Amino acid sequence: MCGIVGYIGHREAYPIVIKGLKRLEYRGYDSAGVMVYDGTSVKLSKTKGKVSDLEAKAKEITTTGTIGIGHTRWATHGVPNDVNSHPHVSNSGDLVIIHNGIIENYEPLKKELIKRGYKFHSDTDTEVLVNLIEEVQKKENLKLGKAVQVALNQVVGAYAICVFDKKKPDEIVAARLGSPLAIGVGKDEFFVASDASPFIEYTSNAIYLEDEEMAVVRLNKPLKIRKIKDDSLVDPYVQELQMNLEQIEKGGYDHFMLKEIYEQPSVIKDTYRGRLHANEGLIQMAGVEDNLEKFLNADRILIVACGTSWHAGLVAEYIFEEFTRIPVEVEYASEFRYRNPIINPGDVVIPISQSGETADTLAAIKLAKEKGAFVFGVCNVVGSSISRETHAGAYTHAGPEIGVASTKAFTTQITVLTMIALRLAKAKGTLSNSDFHRYLQELEIIPEKVQEALETNDVTKTIAAKFKDSTNCLYLGRGYNFPVALEGALKLKEISYIHAEGYPAAEMKHGPIALIDEHMPVIVIAPKQGHYDKVVSNIQEIKSRSGKIIAVVTKGDTQVRELADYVIEIPDTSDALSPLLTTIPLQLLSYHIAVMRGCNVDQPRNLAKSVTVE
Ligand code: M6R
């Protein structure tokens, strides 16, 4: 988490850094800070709060200068206050650092530095790092790049850093291990950032540093990238960016989340375009074709992910087992990595991640690889750590997802996973020909149905107004829609701060039913296909206990309508594809409730978009 930006070139750095920080604010928004070098002195401003607070505070300093670095923080060490905000400055005042990550061994390093006379003003691990670099620099009389390298070889943890040295003001040193870092290469200028969004309008040439690499970014000099461990030179690989400015702006919507909800018909299409050929009865996914034997010989599939991506994994479990008859297990990456799991070379591990940077998922991938499994990633961000760490994979084509609450990532992940399952089912003969063709046709027209499901916006808004002051909420679903219930509850709690839980509907009677009274809204996902009659019985059980029922039903439904207090109608589709539709009104409901409660929908409290710490 945390976003970092650096600029060195011929333009004014401050506006570039501030705009960049605003684009990276999804990565953390506890505090923000900036440093600008005006040719003679360092100007620094930092504050608790958002980048807009920083802008107000930075009015106290002069912000001219063509070198600058900035930081937006998700607090790990030390409370979010002005002092703990980045940039941090070394004791001499010469070195300035911004850091995304955690230095795990900062305490012994700090003790050692204190013994040598260093003073610390913040509670952060980052202030330890900048003083460690200074100590190395002084002791061994090294240039900044070399000192950074020697210091980094002493630290344990994760980092993406930019370091500036007042004594050598024509360069920025950048380095990464575990946290992402991109370098934008322009004409006579360089940008350094946690992702490419801060420099998209200036250059489409980017270099993504690999783990354990560092770069000395120098004015009017070719970029040098080296391995931190052994100092060997690395050939920079310059990539052409696929992102455009429009994708990272709100485009007339009040919030990124709403924009992203409405993008789902088109991004689902983007995700299956060129892969799904319904008329020819074909699924063509290069990564799957190249590794078909590994999938077909798999003893089992293990899905690892976190949060919403984990929910997509649960939907995939139902789909894979039904379509391919390959046993599937779905694990929280954070549990998997620490519980000595049984992984065999015959296993296929599928990590799912929107950002491609989630620390726990990355660690789970590394563990699976060590144990000899084949690892096939489902990821949204091209060039991200997860996409590079996996043996092969398939991208979702959701485009940048900026709202912290994941929406379009979820439906595009399900789309990719459904296509993989269909391809394997075809190869294994585990689906009848007619079912296979029927699913292809249905998936092809799902974007139109998602579009129709978006028309529930008005009714969800009316329902949101009724329940916006609730303190608790239950979400129930069965089969394919049990994970959708979990996802609906997560969406509500993370952006509106209403306590919400999802359950398989039949589990109600094993405990949660005790919570039901006339104040409890219960959202029941009850599409016609699937376990409809069973869900109707569950609704009756809630009704007899006076719970308030909000039901998501298939268009034309009459039975549930008689029982429920409110119904939201979505188009009909097969049971297996229904999560792509049922999830839409739940996203809208959470969105409207959060807006009505005055919550910051795109940047909910305590959260960040990419969770790069464990
Ligand atoms: O980037 P990832 O998909 O790996 O992120 C995993 C979770 O942090 C993420 O899905 C989180 O739960 C969502 N922001 C919830 O909306």
Side-chain angles (χ1 to χ4, degrees):
M1 2 258 276
C2 301
I4 66 178
V5 190
Y7 175 78
I8 181 164
H10 48 85
R11 302 173 207 259
E12 281 300 307
Y14 178 76
I16 294 173
V17 171
I18 290 291
K19 189 152 35 99
L21 289 180
K22 284 187 178 161
R23 289 189 190 151
L24 292 179
E25 219 169 15
Y26 72 87
R27 303 180 63 86
Y29 31 83
D30 288 331
S31 68
V34 63
M35 176 228 83
V36 197
Y37 181 73
D38 65 6
T40 45
S41 60
V42 160
K43 297 285 184 314
L44 201 136
S45 182
K46 52 188 195 171
T47 182
K48 177 178 187 265
K50 307 225 164 186
V51 180
S52 51
D53 300 310
L54 173 65
E55 275 185 293
K57 180 137 192 220
K59 291 204 172 101
E60 295 163 7
I61 59 165
T62 45
T63 53
T64 46
T66 53
I67 298 184
I69 57 178
H71 188 268
T72 175
R73 177 170 187 242
W74 187 83
T76 57
H77 290 65
V79 293
N81 60 19
D82 293 2
V83 176
N84 288 333
S85 310
H86 298 217
H88 287 282
V89 180
S90 65
N91 274 197
S92 71
D94 287 343
L95 305 189
V96 187
I97 193 171
I98 46 174
H99 169 215
N100 166 27
I102 294 182
I103 305 301
E104 287 171 12
N105 60 338
Y106 81 104
E107 281 191 76
L109 291 170
K110 189 171 180 176
K111 277 190 189 139
E112 195 49 44
L113 288 166
I114 289 172
K115 270 196 221 153
R116 294 184 198 182
Y118 282 84
K119 299 257 178 303
F120 290 90
H121 311 283
S122 75
D123 306 319
T124 65
D125 49 344
T126 307
E127 198 187 3
V128 176
L129 180 57
V130 72
N131 282 304
L132 177 65
I133 297 169
E134 176 153 294
E135 172 65 8
V136 170
Q137 201 182 24
K138 278 205 302 211
K139 210 166 116 198
E140 303 185 28
N141 193 20
L142 298 175
K143 285 189 183 156
L144 179 65
K146 196 68 200 164
V148 168
Q149 185 183 21
V150 173
L152 290 180
N153 275 311
Q154 295 177 32
V155 307
V156 178
Y159 51 79
I161 55 169
C162 282
V163 193
F164 173 79
D165 183 352
K166 207 164 90 182
K167 302 186 296 309
K168 190 86 178 45
D170 61 344
E171 66 181 32
I172 292 174
V173 176
R176 82 158 265 183
L177 174 62
S179 304
L181 205 55
I183 300 177
V185 184
K187 193 170 170 328
D188 307 326
E189 59 184 348
F190 292 102
F191 306 79
V192 185
S194 300
D195 72 30
S197 62
F199 53 81
I200 188 76
E201 64 263 57
Y202 304 104
T203 178
S204 54
N205 294 327
I207 296 167
Y208 289 91
L209 285 192
E210 298 284 345
D211 270 349
E212 302 190 334
E213 284 181 359
M214 59 179 289
V216 179
V217 184
R218 213 171 269 152
L219 263 184
N220 307 320
K221 293 268 168 55
L223 187 72
K224 287 240 167 68
I225 299 181
R226 292 180 183 277
K227 289 268 173 216
I228 295 167
K229 271 217 172 95
D230 60 13
D231 201 38
S232 55
L233 271 172
V234 177
D235 265 348
Y237 170 59
V238 183
Q239 282 188 31
E240 168 111 26
L241 292 171
Q242 290 169 4
M243 202 190 277
N244 62 49
L245 201 53
E246 206 176 284
Q247 286 177 312
I248 57 168
E249 290 185 336
K250 280 191 204 147
Y253 286 91
D254 287 342
H255 299 95
F256 279 110
M257 182 183 177
L258 192 62
K259 177 186 177 224
E260 288 156 8
I261 290 173
Y262 273 88
E263 280 174 350
Q264 289 175 107
S266 67
V267 295
I268 291 174
K269 223 177 233 174
D270 291 343
T271 298
Y272 73 51
R273 183 172 296 120
R275 292 164 161 176
L276 169 73
H277 306 279
N279 289 341
E280 292 105 273
L282 278 177
I283 298 272
Q284 283 179 322
M285 302 175 82
V288 178
E289 292 311 316
D290 294 348
N291 297 286
L292 197 56
E293 286 309 307
K294 292 197 180 83
F295 276 108
L296 296 180
N297 295 328
D299 298 325
R300 64 175 178 160
I301 291 175
L302 266 160
I303 295 178
V304 288
C306 305
T308 292
S309 297
W310 183 75
H311 295 153
L314 288 180
V315 175
E317 176 183 20
Y318 283 77
I319 296 178
F320 270 92
E321 292 203 343
E322 167 103 28
F323 289 10
T324 71
R325 309 308 297 152
I326 302 172
V328 178
E329 283 168 40
V330 189
E331 287 236 27
Y332 283 118
S334 53
E335 288 299 313
F336 179 84
R337 63 180 290 195
Y338 284 122
R339 69 166 187 84
N340 193 12
I342 299 166
I343 313 167
N344 298 312
D347 291 334
V348 170
V349 173
I350 304 186
I352 307 173
S353 175
Q354 186 286 128
S355 62
E357 301 296 344
T358 302
D360 286 323
T361 310
L362 255 174
I365 292 169
K366 288 180 183 157
L367 179 66
K369 278 169 74 182
E370 270 163 37
K371 302 223 177 197
F374 169 64
V375 184
F376 186 94
V378 173
C379 185
N380 190 38
V381 177
V382 177
S384 57
S385 303
I386 287 178
S387 72
R388 284 178 296 171
E389 194 63 48
T390 42
H391 293 120
Y395 282 116
T396 49
H397 292 294
E401 192 182 62
I402 292 164
V404 164
S406 209
T407 51
K408 60 177 181 169
F410 180 66
T411 44
T412 53
Q413 286 164 348
I414 294 174
T415 305
V416 162
L417 292 157
T418 305
M419 287 191 292
I420 299 173
L422 283 168
R423 176 65 189 97
L424 301 187
K426 168 100 175 155
K428 286 177 73 105
T430 40
L431 266 185
S432 70
N433 238 341
S434 61
D435 279 347
F436 176 75
H437 285 274
R438 181 170 59 83
Y439 280 121
L440 293 196
Q441 304 283 354
E442 278 194 42
L443 192 54
E444 193 176 41
I445 57 165
I446 252 326
E448 282 107 87
K449 294 188 177 181
V450 173
Q451 190 66 51
E452 215 179 313
L454 287 167
E455 287 164 20
T456 59
N457 186 50
D458 289 348
V459 61
T460 54
K461 205 167 172 178
T462 312
I463 298 170
K466 302 268 177 213
F467 293 100
K468 70 175 174 33
D469 298 320
S470 304
T471 45
N472 292 290
C473 202
L474 282 177
Y475 285 75
L476 304 178
R478 294 186 84 136
Y480 289 100
N481 282 296
F482 155 53
V484 175
L486 296 180
E487 175 58 10
L490 175 62
K491 233 47 339 149
L492 185 70
K493 68 185 129 189
E494 74 175 322
I495 61 169
S496 74
Y497 320 140
I498 294 175
H499 173 238
E501 297 299 334
Y503 281 99
E507 275 293 305
M508 282 291 289
K509 53 191 171 294
H510 299 288
I513 202 162
L515 292 168
I516 291 180
D517 61 16
E518 69 279 17
H519 305 296
M520 176 67 93
V522 187
I523 289 122
V524 190
I525 307 155
K528 200 83 195 160
Q529 314 289 343
H531 311 281
Y532 181 74
D533 294 339
K534 303 282 174 206
V535 179
V536 171
S537 308
N538 299 138
I539 291 176
Q540 255 147 355
E541 289 157 10
I542 304 161
K543 181 109 184 135
S544 358
R545 277 128 190 120
S546 309
K548 292 276 169 291
I549 299 158
I550 302 153
V552 178
V553 298
T554 306
K555 218 172 200 166
D557 181 288
T558 49
Q559 208 177 341
V560 173
R561 185 173 282 276
E562 275 177 25
L563 299 168
D565 297 273
Y566 301 91
V567 292
I568 305 172
E569 290 191 329
I570 51 151
D572 193 16
T573 189
S574 66
D575 193 17
L577 300 187
S578 64
L580 292 168
L581 303 181
T582 51
T583 200
I584 305 292
L586 304 192
Q587 295 170 346
L588 288 167
L589 187 65
S590 311
Y591 170 78
H592 289 303
I593 290 180
V595 171
M596 288 171 194
R597 287 167 70 92
C599 299
N600 186 338
V601 172
D602 284 334
Q603 294 173 346
R605 69 183 180 207
N606 305 337
L607 287 168
K609 184 71 180 163
S610 353
V611 186
T612 54
V613 294
E614 61 172 294

